[in-house]
Amino acid sequence: MKKIGNICDEEKLQVTVKMKHFENPKEREEMMKNLKIGAEFDMRYRGHFLFYGKDFISYKLERPYDKDRNEFLRILSNFMSNVLEDDCPSSWKKCKRPFWEELIFTHLPHVTRITPDQKQVETFLSQLKMFVQWLDKRVGTNWFPVVDKYSKEAVSDLKICEQVLNALFLRDFPQIHQKGFSPKQDVEKIEQSFKQCTKSLDSLFEITSIIDQITVLIEFNSNKTFYVKGLPTQLIVPGLIMSGALGRKGGTLLWEWFQSEGIYPHKGRKYLKLNS
């Protein structure tokens, strides 16, 4: 299965350091307070020095104990600092339509969590529209019509993606919602099964069709076709994008799905990148 690790090229490694000069002790005290607030939704330190930092803090403070708002800010903050990184726009007015499109169609399904009620998509889109309405009034933008349009276009496919992702995890970890759940035994079982495979591939795949209980996938790079058993065909629809690992055991024609990294709607494809 996919190995997780860090590879560092010393010649290309760059570190950016930002210096903050405080005019007075009160300004420093406010920054320290904001750092604690931002930590509640995992906003990186760099966010406090960029255009969106104060907006996130202000929005959080209007409902400091709202769990849905906090989770929304966690996802949005992750998108700004971890996904966009140095390509982050310099203001809300310069975000443009692809910013919202990638957030909704690609980033949201990537960070969707496994939950018993499977309502992460609906909750996030509702929270996003509330935030954008608030933002338009605060900074004079007009992003709500764009976000509302994308949300309506995306909600059906995103809910399917959420259902498929949950079904895959429940297949592999049937006790995942039980109190005291430990994935150790399930992981060992999956790893043992995967070791029996003579061929494997970790990549991005598009679902093209379903034949009885077999799902037909095409791999992004090679356009090679894979016939996969064991997927939740009752939920899957052609056009969805699957990120994860396939394996095939010796003497068999069908592949098996072993690792789910994300399920995406077709419109999110242009923002997805294969690991090099």
Side-chain angles (χ1 to χ4, degrees):
M1 300 183 78
K2 183 178 178 182
K3 295 182 179 179
I4 300 173
N6 294 315
I7 300 175
C8 238
D9 186 334
E10 293 183 359
E11 295 182 358
K12 296 181 180 180
L13 182 62
Q14 296 181 351
V15 177
T16 301
V17 178
K18 293 184 181 291
M19 300 294 292
K20 171 66 176 176
H21 174 72
F22 296 106
E23 297 292 338
N24 52 65
K26 185 177 180 180
E27 185 179 355
R28 181 182 182 279
E29 182 180 342
E30 182 180 0
M31 172 58 74
M32 297 305 294
K33 178 182 177 182
N34 288 341
L35 287 173
K36 290 182 180 180
I37 296 170
E40 293 180 18
F41 55 89
D42 299 333
M43 183 166 75
R44 291 171 59 182
Y45 282 2
R46 66 181 295 176
H48 293 274
F49 301 99
L50 298 176
F51 73 93
Y52 58 84
K54 290 185 178 180
D55 292 328
F56 286 1
I57 296 296
S58 295
Y59 194 62
K60 160 78 173 178
L61 289 175
E62 286 191 5
R63 294 184 182 178
Y65 306 111
D66 188 324
K67 292 182 179 179
D68 289 340
R69 178 166 297 199
N70 199 72
E71 175 65 6
F72 162 75
L73 287 171
R74 184 191 68 81
I75 294 173
L76 183 55
S77 178
N78 178 273
F79 178 66
M80 303 293 276
S81 59
N82 296 349
V83 177
L84 299 182
E85 297 184 313
D86 295 332
D87 293 327
C88 185
S90 58
S91 71
W92 290 114
K93 292 182 180 179
K94 293 184 178 180
C95 284
K96 299 184 179 179
R97 288 173 178 259
F99 170 92
W100 303 106
E101 187 177 44
E102 182 176 4
L103 171 64
I104 293 171
F105 287 93
T106 305
H107 186 62
L108 172 57
H110 180 70
V111 298
T112 296
R113 293 180 172 179
I114 307 304
T115 60
D117 59 9
Q118 299 185 30
K119 290 188 177 181
Q120 280 234 302
V121 166
E122 291 180 1
T123 301
F124 178 85
L125 293 178
S126 175
Q127 289 289 324
L128 176 61
K129 288 189 283 187
M130 285 193 292
F131 172 74
V132 173
Q133 284 182 310
W134 177 89
L135 187 69
D136 285 348
K137 293 179 181 178
R138 179 178 171 89
V139 301
T141 50
N142 188 34
W143 285 123
F144 181 78
V146 174
V147 170
D148 186 51
K149 177 177 179 292
Y150 283 150
S151 296
K152 289 176 179 177
E153 289 177 2
V155 63
S156 178
D157 285 344
L158 287 177
K159 286 172 69 174
I160 293 174
C161 292
E162 183 176 16
Q163 290 168 0
V164 172
L165 186 67
N166 274 265
L168 288 170
F169 271 84
L170 284 169
R171 180 199 69 175
D172 295 335
F173 306 97
Q175 306 299 319
I176 193 170
H177 296 311
Q178 301 299 317
K179 186 177 181 180
F181 164 72
S182 173
K184 184 178 179 180
Q185 290 186 344
D186 292 329
V187 170
E188 290 176 352
K189 182 179 178 182
I190 294 169
E191 289 179 346
Q192 287 299 319
S193 181
F194 190 76
K195 287 179 182 178
Q196 298 173 24
C197 296
T198 56
K199 292 185 178 181
S200 63
L201 179 63
D202 189 339
S203 189
L204 287 164
F205 306 85
E206 180 176 345
I207 298 171
T208 60
S209 62
I210 298 169
I211 305 173
D212 293 328
Q213 298 300 311
I214 307 303
T215 305
V216 184
L217 307 179
I218 290 183
E219 197 266 334
F220 270 30
N221 268 346
S222 65
N223 286 325
K224 183 178 178 180
T225 299
F226 296 83
Y227 296 87
V228 185
K229 66 177 182 178
L231 293 177
T233 53
Q234 74 279 11
L235 299 174
I236 286 174
V237 295
L240 293 184
I241 308 298
M242 301 184 71
S243 173
L246 291 173
R248 191 176 75 179
K249 298 173 182 177
T252 63
L253 297 175
L254 298 177
W255 292 72
E256 297 178 52
W257 187 263
F258 280 95
Q259 179 175 314
S260 304
E261 296 172 8
I263 310 295
Y264 308 89
H266 190 267
K267 195 167 182 178
R269 174 171 180 156
K270 58 185 171 182
Y271 300 107
L272 291 169
K273 299 175 184 177
L274 283 168
N275 296 325
S276 56

